[in-house]
Amino acid sequence: MPPIPLRETSSADDDRLRMLVAAIREESIRAAGVHASLVRLRAEALQIALDEIARSRSRTTREREMPVRSLALEIAVATRSHDLTVQRELSDAHTLTEKFAATVDALEEGRIGVRHAQAILETGIVLDDDATRAGWEQVVLARAERDSPGRVRAFGRELAESVHPVGMTVRHARAAVTRGVSVRDLADGMAELSVILPATVAYGIRDRLRRQAAAIRAAAVEAEGDGTAAVEAPTPRVHAPDAPAPRIQAPEAAEGRIRTHETSAGAIGPTPNAGPSDTRTLAQIGADVCADLLLTATPAVDPTDDSVCPGGLGAIRGHVQVTVPVLTLLGCTDAGASIDGLTPIDPDTARRLAAQAPGWDRVLCDPVTGSVLEVDRYAPTTSQRRFLAARDRHCRAPGCRAPIVRCQIDHNHEAHEGGPTRLDNLCHLCVRHHTLKTETGWTVTQESDGTLRFRSPLGQEHHERVPSRVVFVPDADPPPF
Protein backbone atom coordinates (compact mmCIF):
# COMPACT_ATOMS: atom_id res chain seq x y z
CA MET A 1 0.00 0.00 0.00
CA PRO A 2 1.56 3.31 -1.04
CA PRO A 3 2.17 5.84 1.75
CA ILE A 4 -0.45 8.54 2.21
CA PRO A 5 1.03 11.85 1.02
CA LEU A 6 1.30 14.49 3.71
CA ARG A 7 -0.72 17.63 3.21
CA GLU A 8 1.20 20.67 2.17
CA THR A 9 0.92 23.62 4.53
CA SER A 10 2.46 27.02 4.42
CA SER A 11 4.75 28.32 7.10
CA ALA A 12 2.14 30.97 7.92
CA ASP A 13 -0.52 28.29 8.52
CA ASP A 14 1.80 26.34 10.80
CA ASP A 15 2.62 29.43 12.81
CA ARG A 16 -1.04 30.31 13.11
CA LEU A 17 -1.93 26.78 14.25
CA ARG A 18 0.86 26.82 16.85
CA MET A 19 -0.48 30.10 18.18
CA LEU A 20 -4.06 28.75 18.29
CA VAL A 21 -3.03 25.58 20.09
CA ALA A 22 -1.13 27.62 22.66
CA ALA A 23 -4.12 29.96 23.09
CA ILE A 24 -6.50 27.03 23.54
CA ARG A 25 -4.20 25.57 26.17
CA GLU A 26 -4.07 28.87 28.06
CA GLU A 27 -7.84 29.33 27.92
CA SER A 28 -8.34 25.74 29.12
CA ILE A 29 -6.12 26.44 32.12
CA ARG A 30 -8.06 29.62 32.84
CA ALA A 31 -11.38 27.78 32.50
CA ALA A 32 -10.19 25.14 34.97
CA GLY A 33 -9.41 27.89 37.47
CA VAL A 34 -12.86 29.45 36.98
CA HIS A 35 -14.49 26.07 37.51
CA ALA A 36 -12.50 25.56 40.71
CA SER A 37 -13.80 28.92 41.95
CA LEU A 38 -17.35 27.79 41.16
CA VAL A 39 -16.74 24.59 43.09
CA ARG A 40 -15.66 26.54 46.17
CA LEU A 41 -18.61 28.96 45.90
CA ARG A 42 -21.12 26.13 45.54
CA ALA A 43 -19.59 24.27 48.46
CA GLU A 44 -19.77 27.37 50.66
CA ALA A 45 -23.40 28.01 49.72
CA LEU A 46 -24.36 24.40 50.44
CA GLN A 47 -22.57 24.52 53.79
CA ILE A 48 -24.80 27.43 54.85
CA ALA A 49 -27.88 25.37 54.00
CA LEU A 50 -26.45 22.35 55.83
CA ASP A 51 -25.81 24.49 58.90
CA GLU A 52 -29.43 25.61 58.79
CA ILE A 53 -30.50 21.96 58.67
CA ALA A 54 -28.29 21.22 61.66
CA ARG A 55 -30.05 23.95 63.64
CA SER A 56 -33.48 22.67 62.64
CA ARG A 57 -35.52 20.85 65.26
CA SER A 58 -37.62 19.01 62.72
CA ARG A 59 -37.36 15.24 62.66
CA THR A 60 -39.01 14.70 59.27
CA THR A 61 -36.69 14.18 56.31
CA ARG A 62 -38.81 16.32 54.00
CA GLU A 63 -38.71 19.38 56.22
CA ARG A 64 -34.98 18.98 56.86
CA GLU A 65 -34.30 18.93 53.10
CA MET A 66 -36.13 22.21 52.45
CA PRO A 67 -33.12 24.57 52.97
CA VAL A 68 -31.08 22.67 50.36
CA ARG A 69 -33.98 22.47 47.93
CA SER A 70 -34.74 26.17 48.32
CA LEU A 71 -31.08 27.08 47.77
CA ALA A 72 -30.96 24.91 44.65
CA LEU A 73 -33.99 26.66 43.20
CA GLU A 74 -32.55 30.09 44.09
CA ILE A 75 -29.40 29.31 42.10
CA ALA A 76 -31.40 27.67 39.30
CA VAL A 77 -33.49 30.80 38.79
CA ALA A 78 -30.37 32.99 38.86
CA THR A 79 -28.50 30.80 36.35
CA ARG A 80 -31.45 29.62 34.20
CA SER A 81 -30.86 25.98 35.16
CA HIS A 82 -32.92 23.13 36.58
CA ASP A 83 -32.81 22.95 40.36
CA LEU A 84 -32.16 19.19 40.38
CA THR A 85 -29.08 19.78 38.22
CA VAL A 86 -28.00 22.58 40.55
CA GLN A 87 -28.51 20.38 43.61
CA ARG A 88 -26.26 17.70 42.10
CA GLU A 89 -23.64 20.36 41.36
CA LEU A 90 -23.83 21.60 44.94
CA SER A 91 -23.42 18.07 46.27
CA ASP A 92 -20.45 17.33 43.98
CA ALA A 93 -18.79 20.63 44.92
CA HIS A 94 -19.19 19.95 48.63
CA THR A 95 -17.80 16.44 48.24
CA LEU A 96 -14.81 17.70 46.24
CA THR A 97 -13.87 20.36 48.77
CA GLU A 98 -14.39 18.07 51.77
CA LYS A 99 -12.88 14.83 50.47
CA PHE A 100 -10.71 15.77 47.48
CA ALA A 101 -9.15 19.10 48.44
CA ALA A 102 -5.92 18.35 46.56
CA THR A 103 -7.93 17.79 43.38
CA VAL A 104 -9.62 21.20 43.74
CA ASP A 105 -6.20 22.81 44.24
CA ALA A 106 -4.84 21.11 41.12
CA LEU A 107 -7.90 22.24 39.16
CA GLU A 108 -7.46 25.81 40.38
CA GLU A 109 -3.83 25.82 39.27
CA GLY A 110 -4.73 24.40 35.87
CA ARG A 111 -2.71 21.22 36.34
CA ILE A 112 -5.80 19.12 35.54
CA GLY A 113 -9.07 19.79 33.70
CA VAL A 114 -12.71 19.62 34.74
CA ARG A 115 -13.17 16.13 33.33
CA HIS A 116 -10.11 14.91 35.23
CA ALA A 117 -11.65 16.22 38.46
CA GLN A 118 -14.96 14.53 37.65
CA ALA A 119 -13.19 11.23 36.98
CA ILE A 120 -11.38 11.47 40.32
CA LEU A 121 -14.63 12.24 42.13
CA GLU A 122 -16.55 9.38 40.52
CA THR A 123 -13.89 6.72 41.06
CA GLY A 124 -12.63 7.82 44.47
CA ILE A 125 -15.95 8.40 46.21
CA VAL A 126 -16.18 4.67 47.01
CA LEU A 127 -13.26 5.02 49.46
CA ASP A 128 -14.65 5.90 52.88
CA ASP A 129 -11.42 5.90 54.90
CA ASP A 130 -9.85 9.39 54.83
CA ALA A 131 -6.22 8.20 54.93
CA THR A 132 -6.75 5.60 52.21
CA ARG A 133 -8.57 8.09 50.02
CA ALA A 134 -5.87 10.76 50.48
CA GLY A 135 -3.12 8.37 49.43
CA TRP A 136 -5.19 7.18 46.48
CA GLU A 137 -5.84 10.79 45.43
CA GLN A 138 -2.15 11.69 45.31
CA VAL A 139 -1.36 8.73 43.05
CA VAL A 140 -4.29 9.38 40.70
CA LEU A 141 -3.55 13.13 40.58
CA ALA A 142 -0.02 12.42 39.40
CA ARG A 143 -1.51 10.31 36.61
CA ALA A 144 -4.13 12.96 35.77
CA GLU A 145 -1.48 15.63 35.19
CA ARG A 146 -0.07 13.66 32.26
CA ASP A 147 -2.95 11.54 30.91
CA SER A 148 -6.46 11.79 29.46
CA PRO A 149 -9.64 11.71 31.60
CA GLY A 150 -10.67 8.33 30.20
CA ARG A 151 -7.40 6.71 31.18
CA VAL A 152 -7.47 8.43 34.56
CA ARG A 153 -10.96 7.06 35.22
CA ALA A 154 -9.91 3.50 34.34
CA PHE A 155 -6.70 3.76 36.38
CA GLY A 156 -8.51 5.31 39.35
CA ARG A 157 -11.22 2.65 39.37
CA GLU A 158 -8.66 -0.18 39.24
CA LEU A 159 -6.55 1.39 41.99
CA ALA A 160 -9.60 2.04 44.19
CA GLU A 161 -10.60 -1.59 43.81
CA SER A 162 -7.18 -2.76 44.96
CA VAL A 163 -7.06 -0.58 48.10
CA HIS A 164 -10.74 -0.65 49.09
CA PRO A 165 -11.05 -1.96 52.66
CA VAL A 166 -14.60 -3.25 52.11
CA GLY A 167 -15.07 -6.50 50.22
CA MET A 168 -16.85 -6.71 46.87
CA THR A 169 -19.78 -8.66 48.36
CA VAL A 170 -20.72 -5.82 50.71
CA ARG A 171 -20.14 -3.12 48.11
CA HIS A 172 -22.18 -4.95 45.46
CA ALA A 173 -25.10 -5.33 47.85
CA ARG A 174 -24.91 -1.61 48.58
CA ALA A 175 -24.69 -0.68 44.87
CA ALA A 176 -27.57 -2.97 43.92
CA VAL A 177 -29.91 -0.67 45.82
CA THR A 178 -29.39 1.97 43.08
CA ARG A 179 -30.85 -0.16 40.28
CA GLY A 180 -33.60 1.50 38.28
CA VAL A 181 -34.99 2.50 34.88
CA SER A 182 -34.84 5.92 33.20
CA VAL A 183 -35.58 7.47 29.80
CA ARG A 184 -33.57 10.17 28.03
CA ASP A 185 -35.01 12.06 25.06
CA LEU A 186 -33.10 11.93 21.77
CA ALA A 187 -33.63 13.74 18.48
CA ASP A 188 -36.08 12.82 15.70
CA GLY A 189 -38.73 11.17 17.86
CA MET A 190 -36.38 8.70 19.54
CA ALA A 191 -35.51 8.07 23.18
CA GLU A 192 -32.91 6.09 25.12
CA LEU A 193 -34.10 3.57 27.72
CA SER A 194 -31.45 3.04 30.40
CA VAL A 195 -31.54 0.26 33.00
CA ILE A 196 -29.16 -0.01 35.95
CA LEU A 197 -28.73 -3.70 36.87
CA PRO A 198 -26.11 -6.03 38.32
CA ALA A 199 -23.44 -6.54 35.67
CA THR A 200 -24.15 -10.26 35.24
CA VAL A 201 -27.84 -9.60 34.59
CA ALA A 202 -27.13 -6.73 32.17
CA TYR A 203 -24.62 -8.71 30.12
CA GLY A 204 -26.90 -11.74 30.17
CA ILE A 205 -29.75 -9.65 28.75
CA ARG A 206 -27.53 -8.28 26.00
CA ASP A 207 -26.29 -11.79 25.12
CA ARG A 208 -29.82 -13.19 24.93
CA LEU A 209 -31.03 -10.32 22.74
CA ARG A 210 -28.05 -10.73 20.41
CA ARG A 211 -28.59 -14.47 20.05
CA GLN A 212 -32.33 -14.03 19.49
CA ALA A 213 -31.57 -11.41 16.84
CA ALA A 214 -29.08 -13.77 15.18
CA ALA A 215 -31.69 -16.54 15.14
CA ILE A 216 -34.25 -14.23 13.50
CA ARG A 217 -31.67 -13.21 10.90
CA ALA A 218 -30.73 -16.87 10.25
CA ALA A 219 -34.40 -17.74 9.75
CA ALA A 220 -34.75 -14.92 7.23
CA VAL A 221 -31.66 -16.06 5.32
CA GLU A 222 -32.88 -19.66 5.28
CA ALA A 223 -36.27 -18.59 4.01
CA GLU A 224 -34.62 -16.61 1.23
CA GLY A 225 -32.56 -19.66 0.29
CA ASP A 226 -35.71 -21.77 0.05
CA GLY A 227 -37.27 -19.22 -2.24
CA THR A 228 -39.99 -18.26 0.24
CA ALA A 229 -40.73 -14.84 1.59
CA ALA A 230 -39.28 -14.18 5.01
CA VAL A 231 -41.50 -12.09 7.20
CA GLU A 232 -40.06 -9.66 9.68
CA ALA A 233 -40.50 -10.42 13.35
CA PRO A 234 -43.62 -8.52 14.41
CA THR A 235 -43.30 -5.51 16.60
CA PRO A 236 -45.70 -5.21 19.54
CA ARG A 237 -49.20 -4.05 18.68
CA VAL A 238 -50.25 -0.61 19.80
CA HIS A 239 -53.77 -1.57 20.90
CA ALA A 240 -54.51 -3.70 23.91
CA PRO A 241 -58.14 -4.90 24.24
CA ASP A 242 -58.08 -4.81 28.02
CA ALA A 243 -56.44 -1.41 28.32
CA PRO A 244 -58.41 1.53 29.76
CA ALA A 245 -60.23 3.62 27.20
CA PRO A 246 -57.85 6.35 26.01
CA ARG A 247 -59.02 9.93 26.23
CA ILE A 248 -58.17 12.09 23.25
CA GLN A 249 -58.60 15.81 22.94
CA ALA A 250 -59.18 17.24 19.50
CA PRO A 251 -59.89 20.80 18.31
CA GLU A 252 -62.60 21.93 15.96
CA ALA A 253 -60.29 24.55 14.49
CA ALA A 254 -57.18 23.71 12.53
CA GLU A 255 -55.08 25.42 15.16
CA GLY A 256 -56.03 22.89 17.86
CA ARG A 257 -54.43 19.86 19.34
CA ILE A 258 -55.50 16.28 19.76
CA ARG A 259 -54.31 14.89 23.04
CA THR A 260 -54.48 11.21 23.90
CA HIS A 261 -54.31 10.35 27.58
CA GLU A 262 -53.20 6.92 28.75
CA THR A 263 -53.04 5.55 25.24
CA SER A 264 -51.93 1.93 25.33
CA ALA A 265 -48.52 1.86 23.71
CA GLY A 266 -46.58 -0.83 21.95
CA ALA A 267 -43.20 -0.51 20.30
CA ILE A 268 -43.24 2.91 18.70
CA GLY A 269 -41.26 1.87 15.70
CA PRO A 270 -41.83 1.46 11.98
CA THR A 271 -44.54 -0.97 11.01
CA PRO A 272 -42.94 -4.11 9.50
CA ASN A 273 -42.83 -3.91 5.74
CA ALA A 274 -44.42 -6.64 3.72
CA GLY A 275 -41.19 -7.10 1.80
CA PRO A 276 -39.45 -10.26 0.62
CA SER A 277 -36.82 -10.23 3.39
CA ASP A 278 -35.89 -8.86 6.79
CA THR A 279 -33.56 -5.96 6.06
CA ARG A 280 -33.02 -4.90 9.68
CA THR A 281 -29.54 -5.00 11.18
CA LEU A 282 -28.80 -7.26 14.14
CA ALA A 283 -28.79 -4.20 16.42
CA GLN A 284 -32.22 -3.12 15.14
CA ILE A 285 -33.65 -6.62 15.54
CA GLY A 286 -32.27 -6.76 19.09
CA ALA A 287 -33.90 -3.43 19.95
CA ASP A 288 -37.25 -4.57 18.51
CA VAL A 289 -37.13 -7.87 20.40
CA CYS A 290 -36.27 -6.03 23.63
CA ALA A 291 -39.26 -3.69 23.17
CA ASP A 292 -41.52 -6.65 22.36
CA LEU A 293 -40.48 -8.51 25.52
CA LEU A 294 -40.81 -5.49 27.81
CA LEU A 295 -44.20 -4.40 26.46
CA THR A 296 -45.95 -7.76 26.06
CA ALA A 297 -44.26 -10.45 28.17
CA THR A 298 -45.42 -11.59 31.61
CA PRO A 299 -42.84 -11.58 34.45
CA ALA A 300 -41.76 -15.02 35.61
CA VAL A 301 -42.61 -14.11 39.21
CA ASP A 302 -46.06 -12.57 39.80
CA PRO A 303 -46.88 -12.02 43.49
CA THR A 304 -50.20 -10.28 42.74
CA ASP A 305 -53.76 -11.62 42.70
CA ASP A 306 -56.97 -10.35 41.10
CA SER A 307 -57.84 -8.25 44.13
CA VAL A 308 -54.63 -6.25 43.67
CA CYS A 309 -54.06 -6.50 39.93
CA PRO A 310 -56.90 -8.01 37.86
CA GLY A 311 -55.41 -10.33 35.27
CA GLY A 312 -51.97 -10.28 36.87
CA LEU A 313 -48.87 -8.31 35.92
CA GLY A 314 -49.09 -9.51 32.31
CA ALA A 315 -52.39 -7.64 31.91
CA ILE A 316 -50.74 -4.26 32.55
CA ARG A 317 -50.08 -2.28 29.39
CA GLY A 318 -47.79 0.69 28.89
CA HIS A 319 -49.56 4.07 28.61
CA VAL A 320 -48.38 7.25 26.92
CA GLN A 321 -50.04 10.65 26.62
CA VAL A 322 -49.88 11.93 23.05
CA THR A 323 -50.73 15.42 21.77
CA VAL A 324 -51.37 15.80 18.02
CA PRO A 325 -52.28 18.92 15.99
CA VAL A 326 -55.38 18.21 13.93
CA LEU A 327 -53.54 19.18 10.71
CA THR A 328 -50.96 16.51 11.48
CA LEU A 329 -53.75 14.01 12.08
CA LEU A 330 -55.27 14.89 8.70
CA GLY A 331 -51.92 14.49 6.93
CA CYS A 332 -51.56 18.17 5.99
CA THR A 333 -48.28 18.46 7.90
CA ASP A 334 -45.94 16.09 9.72
CA ALA A 335 -44.90 18.25 12.69
CA GLY A 336 -46.17 18.96 16.18
CA ALA A 337 -47.03 15.50 17.59
CA SER A 338 -45.47 14.82 20.99
CA ILE A 339 -45.55 12.70 24.14
CA ASP A 340 -46.56 14.60 27.30
CA GLY A 341 -46.24 17.80 25.26
CA LEU A 342 -42.46 17.50 25.52
CA THR A 343 -41.00 14.70 23.40
CA PRO A 344 -41.61 14.92 19.61
CA ILE A 345 -42.76 11.73 17.87
CA ASP A 346 -43.20 10.87 14.21
CA PRO A 347 -46.62 11.59 12.64
CA ASP A 348 -47.28 8.00 11.50
CA THR A 349 -47.06 6.75 15.08
CA ALA A 350 -49.28 9.59 16.31
CA ARG A 351 -51.93 8.82 13.65
CA ARG A 352 -51.82 5.11 14.46
CA LEU A 353 -52.35 5.77 18.18
CA ALA A 354 -55.16 8.25 17.47
CA ALA A 355 -56.89 5.86 15.04
CA GLN A 356 -57.11 3.14 17.70
CA ALA A 357 -58.35 5.43 20.49
CA PRO A 358 -62.10 5.01 21.19
CA GLY A 359 -62.72 8.63 22.25
CA TRP A 360 -61.40 12.17 21.83
CA ASP A 361 -61.50 15.34 23.87
CA ARG A 362 -61.46 18.61 21.94
CA VAL A 363 -59.06 21.40 22.88
CA LEU A 364 -60.06 24.75 21.39
CA CYS A 365 -57.01 26.95 20.74
CA ASP A 366 -56.53 30.56 19.80
CA PRO A 367 -55.77 30.66 16.03
CA VAL A 368 -53.06 33.31 16.49
CA THR A 369 -51.32 32.59 19.80
CA GLY A 370 -52.12 28.89 20.01
CA SER A 371 -53.09 29.22 23.69
CA VAL A 372 -55.81 26.95 25.02
CA LEU A 373 -59.24 28.63 25.16
CA GLU A 374 -61.51 25.82 26.27
CA VAL A 375 -61.90 22.10 26.75
CA ASP A 376 -65.39 20.89 25.92
CA ARG A 377 -66.05 18.38 28.69
CA TYR A 378 -67.67 20.38 31.40
CA ALA A 379 -67.94 18.02 34.36
CA PRO A 380 -66.89 20.08 37.42
CA THR A 381 -63.26 19.62 38.48
CA THR A 382 -62.69 17.13 35.66
CA SER A 383 -62.97 19.85 33.02
CA GLN A 384 -60.67 22.06 35.06
CA ARG A 385 -58.11 19.26 35.16
CA ARG A 386 -58.29 18.83 31.40
CA PHE A 387 -57.90 22.56 30.82
CA LEU A 388 -54.90 22.77 33.13
CA ALA A 389 -53.29 19.70 31.56
CA ALA A 390 -53.72 21.21 28.08
CA ARG A 391 -52.44 24.61 29.20
CA ASP A 392 -49.58 23.66 31.50
CA ARG A 393 -48.25 20.57 29.66
CA HIS A 394 -45.63 20.05 32.39
CA CYS A 395 -44.59 21.30 35.83
CA ARG A 396 -44.68 25.11 35.83
CA ALA A 397 -41.81 25.59 38.32
CA PRO A 398 -38.78 27.46 36.89
CA GLY A 399 -36.77 25.18 34.59
CA CYS A 400 -38.79 22.01 35.35
CA ARG A 401 -40.13 19.75 32.60
CA ALA A 402 -41.73 16.99 34.68
CA PRO A 403 -44.72 15.73 32.63
CA ILE A 404 -48.32 16.21 33.75
CA VAL A 405 -48.64 12.57 34.83
CA ARG A 406 -46.05 13.23 37.56
CA CYS A 407 -47.56 16.53 38.73
CA GLN A 408 -50.11 17.71 41.26
CA ILE A 409 -52.54 20.62 40.90
CA ASP A 410 -51.54 23.44 43.22
CA HIS A 411 -53.66 26.28 44.60
CA ASN A 412 -51.38 29.29 44.06
CA HIS A 413 -53.23 31.06 46.86
CA GLU A 414 -53.56 28.24 49.36
CA ALA A 415 -57.07 26.81 49.73
CA HIS A 416 -56.87 26.79 53.52
CA GLU A 417 -56.16 30.53 53.33
CA GLY A 418 -59.24 31.19 51.22
CA GLY A 419 -57.79 30.64 47.75
CA PRO A 420 -60.54 29.73 45.23
CA THR A 421 -60.56 26.58 43.11
CA ARG A 422 -60.56 28.51 39.85
CA LEU A 423 -58.45 28.17 36.74
CA ASP A 424 -56.73 31.47 37.48
CA ASN A 425 -55.55 30.09 40.84
CA LEU A 426 -54.48 26.61 39.75
CA CYS A 427 -51.40 25.20 38.05
CA HIS A 428 -49.44 21.98 37.79
CA LEU A 429 -46.38 21.49 40.00
CA CYS A 430 -44.42 18.26 40.38
CA VAL A 431 -44.29 16.73 43.86
CA ARG A 432 -40.83 18.21 44.51
CA HIS A 433 -41.80 21.80 43.69
CA HIS A 434 -45.32 21.54 45.15
CA THR A 435 -43.75 20.51 48.46
CA LEU A 436 -41.12 23.25 48.21
CA LYS A 437 -43.77 25.91 47.59
CA THR A 438 -45.92 24.68 50.48
CA GLU A 439 -43.18 24.13 53.06
CA THR A 440 -40.90 27.12 52.45
CA GLY A 441 -41.11 30.85 51.84
CA TRP A 442 -41.55 30.51 48.06
CA THR A 443 -44.80 32.11 46.86
CA VAL A 444 -46.66 31.86 43.55
CA THR A 445 -49.22 34.26 42.11
CA GLN A 446 -50.96 33.90 38.75
CA GLU A 447 -51.70 36.64 36.27
CA SER A 448 -54.74 36.80 33.99
CA ASP A 449 -52.94 35.19 31.03
CA GLY A 450 -51.75 32.21 33.10
CA THR A 451 -48.25 33.58 33.72
CA LEU A 452 -46.93 32.54 37.14
CA ARG A 453 -44.87 34.91 39.26
CA PHE A 454 -42.53 33.02 41.59
CA ARG A 455 -41.00 34.93 44.50
CA SER A 456 -38.16 33.34 46.44
CA PRO A 457 -37.39 33.74 50.16
CA LEU A 458 -34.43 35.94 49.17
CA GLY A 459 -36.61 38.25 47.09
CA GLN A 460 -35.87 36.98 43.57
CA GLU A 461 -38.80 37.10 41.14
CA HIS A 462 -39.23 34.83 38.15
CA HIS A 463 -42.06 35.05 35.59
CA GLU A 464 -43.03 31.65 34.18
CA ARG A 465 -45.13 32.14 31.06
CA VAL A 466 -47.63 29.61 29.77
CA PRO A 467 -45.78 27.01 27.64
CA SER A 468 -45.84 28.20 24.04
CA ARG A 469 -47.44 26.20 21.28
CA VAL A 470 -46.15 26.21 17.72
CA VAL A 471 -48.99 26.25 15.18
CA PHE A 472 -48.35 24.80 11.73
CA VAL A 473 -50.58 26.15 8.93
CA PRO A 474 -50.13 24.68 5.43
CA ASP A 475 -49.63 27.09 2.56
CA ALA A 476 -52.05 26.17 -0.21
CA ASP A 477 -50.53 28.61 -2.73
CA PRO A 478 -47.79 27.24 -5.00
CA PRO A 479 -44.30 28.74 -4.65
CA PRO A 480 -43.63 31.73 -6.94
CA PHE A 481 -40.97 29.96 -8.98
Side-chain angles (χ1 to χ4, degrees):
M1 181 177 179
I4 299 176
L6 298 176
R7 65 183 184 92
E8 295 182 0
T9 59
S10 66
S11 176
D13 287 342
D14 289 343
D15 292 342
R16 177 61 177 164
L17 286 175
R18 290 189 189 97
M19 185 181 67
L20 290 173
V21 170
I24 291 172
R25 181 178 183 277
E26 292 301 320
E27 288 300 309
S28 298
I29 292 174
R30 190 174 67 85
V34 171
H35 189 82
S37 298
L38 277 175
V39 167
R40 298 190 191 280
L41 292 172
R42 288 167 178 157
E44 183 180 356
L46 181 58
Q47 188 59 54
I48 294 175
L50 294 177
D51 291 342
E52 183 178 345
I53 292 175
R55 293 191 299 268
S56 173
R57 297 181 179 180
S58 174
R59 294 182 177 272
T60 64
T61 302
R62 187 178 71 174
E63 291 180 0
R64 290 174 61 84
E65 287 180 352
M66 288 304 115
V68 174
R69 292 190 184 185
S70 182
L71 170 64
L73 190 56
E74 288 275 7
I75 297 175
V77 171
T79 60
R80 297 177 298 281
S81 305
H82 194 290
D83 59 309
L84 278 176
T85 301
V86 171
Q87 192 164 332
R88 285 194 296 269
E89 292 172 344
L90 291 172
S91 177
D92 287 349
H94 190 266
T95 302
L96 277 169
T97 56
E98 293 294 316
K99 298 184 176 182
F100 300 95
T103 298
V104 179
D105 291 340
L107 182 64
E108 189 172 39
E109 296 167 5
R111 292 186 283 122
I112 63 172
V114 175
R115 289 188 296 166
H116 291 98
Q118 192 65 32
I120 292 173
L121 173 63
E122 292 173 1
T123 56
I125 195 63
V126 298
L127 299 174
D128 297 325
D129 181 72
D130 292 341
T132 302
R133 186 175 57 252
W136 173 92
E137 182 183 16
Q138 292 301 323
V139 176
V140 177
L141 266 179
R143 182 67 173 264
E145 292 180 12
R146 65 176 188 274
D147 222 332
S148 66
R151 291 183 175 181
V152 170
R153 179 175 281 104
F155 175 75
R157 184 179 293 113
E158 183 178 355
L159 182 61
E161 178 69 28
S162 66
V163 301
H164 204 294
V166 181
M168 173 59 85
T169 301
V170 176
R171 286 185 286 123
H172 174 72
R174 188 167 55 194
V177 177
T178 65
R179 61 190 185 278
V181 181
S182 61
V183 176
R184 182 172 67 92
D185 292 339
L186 302 176
D188 302 323
M190 302 297 287
E192 178 182 88
L193 178 69
S194 178
V195 186
I196 298 177
L197 293 168
T200 52
V201 177
Y203 279 94
I205 291 172
R206 188 181 69 170
D207 177 71
R208 186 172 188 235
L209 290 174
R210 285 180 171 179
R211 290 197 287 140
Q212 288 178 334
I216 293 172
R217 169 59 60 81
V221 172
E222 182 178 356
E224 287 180 352
D226 293 342
T228 58
V231 181
E232 289 187 353
T235 55
R237 295 184 179 275
V238 172
H239 179 61
D242 55 352
R247 295 174 292 149
I248 301 183
Q249 300 174 348
E252 290 182 347
E255 294 79 8
R257 292 287 187 276
I258 294 174
R259 170 168 291 168
T260 67
H261 294 279
E262 298 182 348
T263 302
S264 187
I268 313 297
T271 303
N273 299 321
S277 64
D278 191 339
T279 59
R280 294 175 296 171
T281 66
L282 286 175
Q284 292 168 345
I285 296 174
D288 292 342
V289 171
C290 179
D292 195 353
L293 291 172
L294 291 176
L295 286 168
T296 65
T298 301
V301 178
D302 187 349
T304 66
D305 54 32
D306 286 343
S307 64
V308 177
C309 182
L313 295 178
I316 297 176
R317 295 293 181 262
H319 293 164
V320 293
Q321 175 181 293
V322 179
T323 302
V324 194
V326 69
L327 292 179
T328 300
L329 188 67
L330 296 175
C332 299
T333 182
D334 65 351
S338 63
I339 295 177
D340 293 328
L342 304 174
T343 305
I345 62 173
D346 66 284
D348 289 339
T349 296
R351 295 183 192 113
R352 187 163 70 248
L353 290 172
Q356 296 180 0
W360 293 359
D361 289 342
R362 292 183 302 174
V363 180
L364 304 180
C365 300
D366 187 285
V368 177
T369 66
S371 60
V372 175
L373 301 178
E374 188 177 10
V375 179
D376 68 349
R377 288 191 182 181
Y378 296 104
T381 303
T382 302
S383 63
Q384 289 180 334
R385 288 179 178 274
R386 291 195 178 101
F387 181 95
L388 292 169
R391 183 196 69 183
D392 293 344
R393 305 176 71 188
H394 52 73
C395 173
R396 297 288 303 282
C400 188
R401 288 170 53 87
I404 290 295
V405 295
R406 288 166 42 199
C407 292
Q408 301 171 342
I409 294 180
D410 171 66
H411 285 72
N412 305 148
H413 180 197
E414 297 291 352
H416 65 268
E417 297 176 357
T421 305
R422 294 199 314 254
L423 294 176
D424 58 1
N425 190 50
L426 301 173
C427 73
H428 280 89
L429 295 177
C430 66
V431 176
R432 172 186 176 85
H433 293 119
H434 195 185
T435 303
L436 183 65
K437 182 251 181 183
T438 303
E439 300 290 341
T440 68
W442 282 84
T443 61
V444 182
T445 55
Q446 187 171 159
E447 299 176 0
S448 59
D449 62 351
T451 298
L452 301 180
R453 185 168 71 250
F454 287 80
R455 185 175 179 85
S456 77
L458 298 183
Q460 282 197 98
E461 283 197 1
H462 175 79
H463 291 258
E464 185 74 12
R465 294 180 175 82
V466 174
S468 60
R469 291 176 177 271
V470 180
V471 179
F472 298 88
V473 180
D475 187 358
D477 297 328
F481 51 83

